[in-house]
Amino acid sequence: MGGRLARDIHLIRFFREAAVQRGETPALLAHGGGETVTWIELGRRMDLAARGLIALGHRAGDKVGICARNMPEWTQADLGILAARGVTVSLYPTSLLEQATFILRDAGIRILFAGEAAQLDLGTRLLDLGEIDHLILLDPALAAPGDPRILGFHDLLKLGGDPALDAAHQERLDGMSMDDLFTLVYTSGTTGEPKGVMLDFANLGAAMRLHDRRLTVGPDDSSLCMLPLCHIFERAWTFYVLYRGARNVYLRDPQTVVKAIGEVRPTLMCSVPRVYEKAYAGIYARMENAGRLMGGLFHWAVAAGLEVQRRRAAGQGLGLGLRLRASLAERLVFRKLRALFGGRCRFLPVAGASLADDVNLFFQAIGLKLKYGYGLSETCATVSCYEDGLPPIGTIGTPLDTLEVRLGEDNEIQVKGPTIMRGYYNRPEETARAFTADGFLRTGDAGALDGQGHLIFTERIKELMKTSNGQYVAPQRVEGTLAKDAYIEQVAIIADSRNFVSALIVPYFDRLEEHARSMGITWRSPAELLKNSRIVDFFESRLAELQKGLSKYEQVKRFTLLHRPFSMDLGELTPTLKLRRKSIEQAFRAEIEAMYAGIQGKQEHSS
């Protein structure tokens, strides 16, 4: 089954047919071991899970929650909910009790799937508080604690095997409509209260069809499922991968992606720009210490690759000399660099934040094809992305076919088309504010369109910071500039209503400690190391060099080195690694105020 989805075919109906036709072909597997779920088995479990939910009292249209890290059971539960004509609502696996309770109440969820021990603990508390009626455990390693309200995923499948459920299940299948909601995606909310984005099967079907016109994915492909499935980017991509008949390999811990990508050797992988910024910084850091010969060869090869990109972009020929250089660079350097990513990547979708042009160019030059794009939960992920061929660096590609994109007031990117959400659940006023009078979605992002129709992202309108001097600073631009440094792991800019720009910086401690030892510095703790005046001077000099391309008013004047990273568990990062600025500013209020109080000159203060 090739996978071309007709305009009126429901994705669940398509998957049920695909399960029979694809048979024993692998569909889902977990990185690190465990069973391989074939298509025929996936179809069986999808139906059994749907029937098990019906046995628990689930009704058509009921919302069901999933709170888990990535695992094959996540998708099996998701498809089971949808096959019961339910609506899947994903919760972040790091959700606190208050956050989970808000979503459960807002969506009316009474059944929750939980992943591992942490989510079991959360679910048990929700059961005891009467917030849910049933808790289903996805991780096969988890034992149900004996509470009749808690059952394992395979217990749910057994429950679904009752022949008495045949008629009810068939009724759900017969009643499926493209107008049915397939999900509520609660926006991660870098600020404010989360809102449930309503996406229906017509939105999802349109996304599948439009990606068919832009991408080539098939049964020979293997995708590493690394970004959290609770986010629409990875979840919609997972549906697309399965729809096209490719294998999906699930990675529970995204922190292990470097090891996993070498073992899985995927042909495809969704990620956020930060993954490539860190890889870029790591490669250059390694080359700094590689010795004159190897370092010289690396820089020579990269220069050749960048020249190839430049000439092709200008429509110029390469010439015999450059072709020979590029061929040698490929054999001696680029092939080895791509091996760090498994050596088989065909293209790598990247979205969720701004990707620095020089980072993008570097990976394109070495032959790692980043498919840079732009989208929102409200647009069922992709609005625009690169087409095949030479990537238009500096842009986020062209809009998908049939999507209308225009610029509104303040150059706001506005979108209209078949993938756009129905609205925000239980939020009619906010839904009305999200759309223009003629039906375009207001994205809240500012941008531009070039003469070839490429979309250009400039900044988040809501995130623009205005200094007390009246200058507007786009924090992502400044943070992206600094984050390319080999010694900076994370950075958060502070500028709003302040008289200059400052930064909270989390160093790469392994690299910094190695550098400190080479300088003869001794320390007893990370905090002590970060207070060392020679380390502060080291970072000050690196920032001065990095910021040469920034306007004076954008440049960081003071900084604080932090001894702990920004954390998703503490609510400081979204699942796609965006900064939750309000949480960060609350957590590090003392450090921020010290920078503006002028207490420590160069800011040797460390938290």
Side-chain angles (χ1 to χ4, degrees), residues 266-581:
T267 60
L268 310 164
M269 183 183 77
C270 281
S271 65
V272 291
R274 189 66 190 124
V275 170
Y276 296 103
E277 290 170 353
K278 291 172 74 172
Y280 175 88
I283 290 168
Y284 271 87
R286 187 182 301 180
M287 289 303 106
E288 280 186 15
N289 301 311
R292 181 178 297 178
L293 182 61
M294 186 176 293
L297 176 62
F298 168 79
H299 289 291
W300 172 86
V302 171
L306 293 174
E307 181 62 14
V308 168
Q309 293 290 315
R310 187 193 68 78
R311 290 200 190 180
R312 285 178 174 165
Q316 300 171 349
L318 301 186
L320 179 60
L322 182 56
R323 285 201 301 273
L324 288 172
R325 283 177 61 198
S327 177
L328 278 172
E330 166 64 20
R331 291 202 302 271
L332 298 176
V333 178
F334 296 165
R335 198 174 294 167
K336 295 175 182 178
L337 290 175
R338 293 199 302 275
L340 299 174
F341 295 83
R344 296 199 312 145
C345 294
R346 292 200 304 109
F347 65 87
L348 299 163
V350 183
S354 294
L355 176 64
D357 288 349
D358 50 355
V359 174
N360 191 357
L361 264 173
F362 169 79
F363 285 108
Q364 305 291 349
I366 69 170
L368 206 63
K369 303 302 181 185
L370 304 190
K371 185 79 75 170
Y372 185 29
Y374 165 77
L376 301 87
S377 298
E378 290 86 343
T379 63
C380 202
T382 313
V383 168
S384 68
C385 70
Y386 287 172
E387 300 182 61
D388 289 338
L390 191 67
I393 304 297
T395 82
I396 39 180
T398 53
L400 298 182
D401 294 352
T402 79
L403 293 188
E404 298 178 63
V405 175
R406 72 182 187 191
L407 302 179
E409 187 178 355
D410 297 324
N411 290 320
E412 182 184 38
I413 299 169
Q414 299 178 352
V415 188
K416 189 176 186 179
T419 61
I420 307 304
M421 70 167 181
R422 187 180 298 180
Y424 296 116
Y425 190 65
N426 291 335
R427 302 285 195 283
E429 296 85 3
E430 294 199 46
T431 297
R433 287 196 294 270
F435 289 91
T436 65
D438 54 350
F440 279 77
L441 174 74
R442 305 176 192 272
T443 66
D445 294 323
L449 286 162
D450 70 12
Q452 289 73 49
H454 299 123
L455 186 60
I456 299 166
F457 174 87
T458 53
E459 69 255 340
R460 285 285 300 166
I461 294 172
K462 292 179 181 178
E463 284 199 357
L464 277 179
M465 297 178 178
K466 188 177 183 180
T467 68
S468 59
N469 300 319
Q471 299 278 12
Y472 282 97
V473 175
Q476 288 187 350
R477 168 176 157 80
V478 182
E479 289 159 355
T481 298
L482 302 187
K484 291 178 291 187
D485 187 80
Y487 290 88
I488 295 178
E489 181 170 11
Q490 295 172 321
V491 57
I493 294 304
I494 312 296
D496 217 22
S497 301
R498 306 285 188 169
N499 61 342
F500 59 84
V501 179
S502 68
L504 300 170
I505 294 174
V506 179
Y508 273 110
F509 277 97
D510 289 348
R511 293 172 196 160
L512 182 60
E513 288 174 352
E514 184 178 342
H515 178 72
R517 282 191 287 270
S518 73
M519 295 172 67
I521 297 173
T522 58
W523 65 94
R524 288 171 293 183
S525 68
E528 181 179 333
L529 174 63
L530 298 183
K531 289 177 182 177
N532 186 286
S533 61
R534 294 169 69 192
I535 294 299
V536 175
D537 288 343
F538 173 70
F539 274 95
E540 193 166 71
S541 65
R542 296 187 79 86
L543 261 62
E545 186 64 29
L546 287 164
Q547 298 188 101
K548 286 181 176 178
L550 297 177
S551 300
K552 288 290 185 184
Y553 69 87
E554 294 177 297
Q555 294 180 7
V556 170
K557 302 297 190 295
R558 291 184 178 177
F559 60 90
T560 295
L561 300 174
L562 304 179
H563 79 269
R564 75 160 178 87
F566 306 133
S567 164
M568 197 182 298
D569 291 346
L570 296 175
E572 295 160 354
L573 297 174
T574 73
T576 51
L577 307 183
K578 293 191 187 78
L579 302 178
R580 284 198 170 111
R581 299 187 187 279

Side-chain angles (χ1 to χ4, degrees), residues 119-131:
Q119 293 82 46
L120 168 59
D121 180 63
L122 174 66
T124 302
R125 294 165 72 192
L126 291 166
L127 275 172
D128 292 342
L129 292 170
E131 297 293 345

Side-chain angles (χ1 to χ4, degrees), residues 197-326:
V197 174
M198 295 188 289
L199 297 172
D200 57 31
F201 280 94
N203 296 141
L204 184 61
M208 302 295 105
R209 292 193 309 274
L210 297 185
H211 281 78
D212 271 345
R213 301 183 189 182
R214 186 61 57 92
L215 308 176
T216 302
V217 174
D220 292 333
D221 281 308
S222 177
S223 182
L224 183 60
C225 181
M226 183 271 291
L227 291 180
L229 277 164
C230 56
H231 193 275
I232 192 62
F233 185 18
E234 187 69 75
R235 185 158 164 242
W237 177 254
T238 287
F239 282 138
Y240 186 70
V241 164
L242 295 176
Y243 150 66
R244 296 299 303 149
R247 293 175 300 282
N248 211 39
V249 184
Y250 294 75
L251 180 64
R252 287 201 192 188
D253 183 2
Q255 299 299 320
T256 64
V257 65
V258 173
K259 180 175 183 288
I261 201 169
E263 295 170 349
V264 174
R265 301 184 66 233
T267 60
L268 310 164
M269 183 183 77
C270 281
S271 65
V272 291
R274 189 66 190 124
V275 170
Y276 296 103
E277 290 170 353
K278 291 172 74 172
Y280 175 88
I283 290 168
Y284 271 87
R286 187 182 301 180
M287 289 303 106
E288 280 186 15
N289 301 311
R292 181 178 297 178
L293 182 61
M294 186 176 293
L297 176 62
F298 168 79
H299 289 291
W300 172 86
V302 171
L306 293 174
E307 181 62 14
V308 168
Q309 293 290 315
R310 187 193 68 78
R311 290 200 190 180
R312 285 178 174 165
Q316 300 171 349
L318 301 186
L320 179 60
L322 182 56
R323 285 201 301 273
L324 288 172
R325 283 177 61 198

Side-chain angles (χ1 to χ4, degrees), residues 65-83:
I66 302 179
C67 183
R69 294 199 295 175
N70 293 1
M71 58 183 74
E73 292 80 8
W74 207 114
T75 295
Q76 294 169 56
D78 191 5
L79 293 176
I81 295 165
L82 302 179

Side-chain angles (χ1 to χ4, degrees), residues 27-199:
L28 318 176
L29 54 154
H31 169 252
E35 67 173 333
T36 296
V37 180
T38 64
W39 266 99
I40 196 71
E41 183 63 16
L42 177 60
R44 188 183 78 87
R45 292 183 189 181
M46 175 172 66
D47 282 348
L48 288 176
R51 293 159 65 97
L53 289 170
I54 294 170
L56 292 178
H58 177 275
R59 299 164 300 177
D62 279 357
K63 304 350 179 252
V64 180
I66 302 179
C67 183
R69 294 199 295 175
N70 293 1
M71 58 183 74
E73 292 80 8
W74 207 114
T75 295
Q76 294 169 56
D78 191 5
L79 293 176
I81 295 165
L82 302 179
R85 209 178 167 199
V87 181
T88 301
V89 182
S90 55
L91 286 78
Y92 304 134
T94 56
S95 293
L96 302 176
L97 180 64
E98 181 182 2
Q99 295 167 329
T101 300
F102 174 86
I103 292 175
L104 293 176
R105 290 178 179 175
D106 191 65
I109 293 169
R110 302 304 303 175
I111 300 175
L112 179 66
F113 286 88
E116 300 162 276
Q119 293 82 46
L120 168 59
D121 180 63
L122 174 66
T124 302
R125 294 165 72 192
L126 291 166
L127 275 172
D128 292 342
L129 292 170
E131 297 293 345
I132 55 174
D133 299 323
H134 300 284
L135 183 66
I136 303 164
L137 309 181
L138 291 177
D139 189 341
L142 281 182
D147 186 325
R149 302 169 299 172
I150 304 176
L151 62 159
F153 184 60
H154 283 281
D155 297 324
L156 179 74
L157 301 184
K158 288 179 185 177
L159 198 62
D162 186 348
L165 297 166
D166 290 353
H169 183 216
Q170 191 59 50
E171 183 180 351
R172 300 288 175 93
L173 294 173
D174 292 342
M176 286 178 176
S177 165
M178 298 299 283
D179 292 331
D180 288 343
L181 287 181
F182 94 88
T183 195
L184 297 181
V185 180
Y186 278 82
T187 56
S188 54
T190 52
T191 58
E193 194 174 80
K195 304 183 290 290
V197 174
M198 295 188 289
L199 297 172

